[in-house]
Amino acid sequence: MKAIGFKTSLPITEEESFITFETPKPIPGARDLLVKISAVSVNPVDFKIRQNSAKDTILEIPKIIGWDAVGVVEAIGDKVSLFKVGDEVFYAGDITKPGSNAEYQVIDERIVGRKPKSLSIEEAAVMPLTGLTAWEILFDRIRINPEKDKGKSILIIGGAGGVGSIAIQLAKKIAGLTVIATASRPETIAWSKQQGADFVVDHKNLITSVHEAGFQNVDFILDFVDTNFYWDIMVELIKPQGHIASITGSSDPVALNKLKNKSVSFSWELMYTRSMFETEDMQEQHNILNKIADLLDNGTIKSTLNETLTGLTAANFKKAHELLESGKTIGKIAIKY
């Protein structure tokens, strides 16, 4: 099969930052699906792994990345029970295994959902990773209860990004929260409002902007940008007994002691935890993806697709990564094969 990968970590401007190569079609294990991929999307995790996973070394076999895909099931393992050959599926994959930037991929059925019927392949391809991340951070980490928490306030730092865009929609439409999102450019402000944000505030002057929007403190904060940079700001803005959650990680220790007097909870969210550790509730990602598919099909939420490239080529992945690395993308980028 044809695949796009890299043998060493290079700047995206370098000719061999991505290469096209041939590799054997994978064989599904007992609970795996063999999926013929029709579209993928790119996420910040892609370029971070490309930049760091093969530093100062040359891999014998090129590394295939990519953690969002839509495709058709071509073969199944002997213990598969959730899907059959011919099913259209979408999923965000497993970071410990070869990715989706190829013609075929094997994927554990427990982290796969049915493709939303009403969406094009490119509209569907951009939803799994960000949808799972946003759902898990809201409902599994903070454990928001739509009945009990309806009307409470949530600050989403990074409203126009891939995860921020769907988190706004889920927080508003499913959790019933009052959504405050950060953005600063006219186009990101407009995009955040289109996703359903009640208020859009300037991340460059965040505390003042939140106060000017009418909130002294907020019940929940989601950080999709930079935990360390925003830490003291989040500590100040969070309500006593509130909850902060982040997906960004931190190279330096996080000063959790600053949350003590307010009895504030803090959670990390990594969408790959369930597949990486094969947790007992790993199949919950299958269930979440099917819920997201239903919400997309009934019009409750909408795809966050903003740009589509066509063709399984190294040039398209270079372009997509270059756009992502600029830090100025709005919504999501898909690559249709």
Side-chain angles (χ1 to χ4, degrees):
M1 69 172 183
K2 180 181 176 182
I4 309 296
F6 56 89
K7 285 191 167 185
T8 186
S9 294
L10 295 170
I12 198 61
T13 51
E14 294 287 327
E15 185 178 347
E16 295 205 336
S17 56
F18 276 115
I19 59 173
T20 304
F21 66 102
E22 293 289 323
T23 190
K25 185 193 294 188
I27 297 168
R31 296 210 66 177
D32 289 339
L33 313 174
L34 174 66
V35 178
K36 181 171 175 50
I37 298 171
S38 48
V40 298
S41 79
V42 290
N43 296 280
V45 64
D46 298 48
F47 75 74
K48 290 173 185 174
I49 289 177
R50 195 203 81 245
Q51 291 172 341
N52 296 297
S53 62
K55 269 187 174 179
D56 305 318
T57 188
I58 298 176
L59 304 173
E60 188 175 333
I61 299 170
K63 184 176 181 68
I64 304 170
I65 60 172
W67 290 280
D68 258 336
V70 167
V72 178
V73 177
E74 189 166 286
I76 59 174
D78 57 10
K79 292 186 178 177
V80 166
S81 61
L82 302 174
F83 297 96
K84 63 184 186 303
V85 172
D87 285 347
E88 287 189 293
V89 295
F90 74 154
Y91 54 88
D94 178 344
I95 204 167
T96 68
K97 295 178 180 176
S100 57
N101 298 350
E103 288 184 300
Y104 292 90
Q105 184 180 18
V106 290
I107 189 78
D108 191 301
E109 65 167 347
R110 291 170 290 178
I111 55 172
V112 177
R114 68 161 189 86
K115 173 192 169 289
K117 294 182 175 65
S118 61
L119 268 59
S120 67
I121 55 172
E122 57 267 37
E123 288 171 332
V126 303
M127 297 306 296
L129 186 147
T130 55
L132 282 167
T133 301
W135 187 284
E136 288 183 354
I137 203 169
L138 289 167
F139 304 115
D140 293 343
R141 307 299 164 240
I142 296 180
R143 299 185 182 179
I144 288 169
N145 180 329
E147 290 182 16
K148 179 172 66 73
D149 296 320
K150 185 177 181 181
K152 288 185 178 180
S153 55
I154 187 166
L155 172 63
I156 298 176
I157 301 174
V163 181
S165 298
I166 189 62
I168 291 172
Q169 295 186 54
L170 292 175
K172 186 68 186 171
K173 298 288 186 69
I174 307 305
L177 303 178
T178 298
V179 178
I180 310 156
T182 72
S184 61
R185 292 179 285 141
E187 57 269 34
T188 54
I189 292 168
W191 176 268
S192 298
K193 287 180 178 176
Q194 285 171 22
Q195 306 314 304
D198 297 290
F199 301 90
V200 180
V201 296
D202 187 353
H203 62 263
K204 295 174 185 174
N205 192 11
L206 190 48
I207 292 173
T208 300
S209 296
V210 170
H211 290 169
E212 288 176 349
F215 300 86
Q216 190 61 33
N217 300 107
V218 293
D219 295 287
F220 311 114
I221 299 177
L222 305 183
D223 162 47
F224 298 143
V225 179
D226 188 325
T227 307
N228 279 331
F229 183 83
Y230 286 104
W231 186 250
D232 287 342
I233 294 170
M234 294 191 289
V235 168
E236 183 166 339
L237 285 175
I238 194 70
K239 278 185 181 178
Q241 303 182 107
H243 200 138
I244 299 170
S246 176
I247 67 170
T248 60
S250 174
S251 56
D252 299 315
V254 175
L256 291 175
N257 60 302
K258 293 185 178 183
L259 303 179
K260 182 177 184 295
N261 286 350
K262 286 186 175 181
S263 297
V264 168
S265 302
F266 176 74
S267 299
W268 292 118
E269 156 62 15
L270 180 65
M271 188 225 73
Y272 303 111
T273 297
R274 282 173 160 136
S275 57
M276 186 184 294
F277 295 99
E278 294 199 16
T279 60
E280 291 178 357
D281 67 346
M282 181 172 165
Q283 193 167 314
E284 186 59 22
Q285 289 202 334
H286 164 74
N287 299 332
I288 294 168
L289 285 170
N290 282 346
K291 288 174 188 173
I292 289 169
D294 289 340
L295 292 169
L296 288 162
D297 279 339
N298 66 29
T300 302
I301 62 174
K302 58 188 177 182
S303 173
T304 55
L305 175 69
N306 200 35
E307 183 168 357
T308 303
L309 306 174
T310 302
L312 176 60
T313 66
N316 274 338
F317 284 99
K318 285 181 188 178
K319 182 177 179 183
H321 278 233
E322 197 166 0
L323 289 167
L324 272 186
E325 289 178 36
S326 75
K328 294 184 177 179
T329 52
I330 301 173
K332 292 291 298 292
I333 304 164
I335 298 175
K336 182 169 65 171
Y337 291 1

